Amino acid sequence: MHLHKYEKIWLIFGLGSLILFLAIIGFAAFYKGTHPQSHIETIDPQNIEANENFKPENLGLTKVEEGKYVVNIVASAFNYDLGIDEKGKRVNKIRIPKGSKVLFQITTKDVVHGFNVAGTNVNMMVEPGHISRYETTLKNTGEFTIVCNEYCGLGHHLMFGTVEVYE
Ligand code: CUA
């Protein structure tokens, strides 16, 4: 079969583009991973208490050392479980001194939720079966609202909490 010179060029160009495209997609999907970076560790969503971090008594804010904190959270439809206070009341607000290094660890038993501390760089997707982690230094004082930015059902807009960073 005889191919015209330009036909050949375009055929090669077309095939080349296709291979390049597949290579980029393949690289993004398999090498870099299509999941957000935080989704490395898995957890049994039916039994999250088996993980030390998500036992009821370990939820909420824990001081690890001076200037270093861990916040363990269980997101569910439709709230953020941050543990209970001394009086047995549900905690909805955590207070952290300015300049602290804070590791947020969060999971869920039910559906996909978001965990965004508005006005900070804390913004995670929370999936059942995964632990999402993010460490940050809270540099600015103020009250920051925790919002769910993944639609999770009728009470989606009711999911919130507060992080207060004080001087
Ligand atoms: Cu949880 Cu939207």
Side-chain angles (χ1 to χ4, degrees):
M1 191 175 85
H2 177 76
L3 281 176
H4 192 274
K5 188 176 151 201
Y6 290 113
E7 272 184 316
K8 238 186 229 171
I9 291 169
W10 282 107
L11 197 64
I12 289 163
F13 177 76
L15 270 174
S17 307
L18 183 67
I19 289 163
L20 181 70
F21 176 74
L22 289 174
I24 291 168
I25 296 286
F27 176 76
F30 299 108
Y31 181 72
K32 296 194 79 180
T34 47
H35 289 289
Q37 285 179 327
S38 51
H39 296 162
I40 297 162
E41 201 177 329
T42 57
I43 185 169
D44 178 3
Q46 314 295 336
N47 188 22
I48 59 165
E49 290 84 5
N51 184 304
E52 197 64 30
N53 294 311
F54 301 108
K55 286 192 190 323
E57 64 270 27
N58 292 336
L59 293 181
L61 182 71
T62 307
K63 188 173 179 175
V64 184
E65 58 185 71
E66 206 51 49
K68 216 172 161 195
Y69 294 81
V70 171
V71 183
N72 296 328
I73 310 117
V74 177
S76 64
F78 297 101
N79 69 76
Y80 294 107
D81 194 345
L82 289 159
I84 50 168
D85 63 17
E86 319 77 59
K87 292 171 196 142
K89 247 188 96 195
R90 292 179 57 89
V91 174
N92 198 242
K93 180 179 182 173
I94 49 174
R95 299 185 74 244
I96 305 173
K98 181 184 165 182
S100 303
K101 207 173 198 188
V102 187
L103 172 66
F104 290 92
Q105 307 191 108
I106 180 162
T107 192
T108 177
K109 298 184 206 181
D110 48 35
V111 295
V112 174
H113 296 280
F115 184 82
N116 175 214
V117 185
T120 74
N121 56 356
V122 182
N123 190 5
M124 294 186 275
M125 195 173 164
V126 187
E127 284 182 88
H130 293 272
I131 299 170
S132 300
R133 287 201 175 87
Y134 191 79
E135 190 173 55
T136 191
T137 302
L138 297 169
K139 292 182 187 132
N140 300 311
T141 56
E143 292 217 358
F144 303 93
T145 306
I146 303 168
V147 291
C148 179
N149 51 11
E150 296 286 339
Y151 183 75
C152 52
L154 285 176
H156 163 71
H157 62 288
L158 301 172
M159 286 188 74
F160 78 100
T162 310
V163 175
E164 187 191 338
V165 182
Y166 61 93
E167 194 65 60

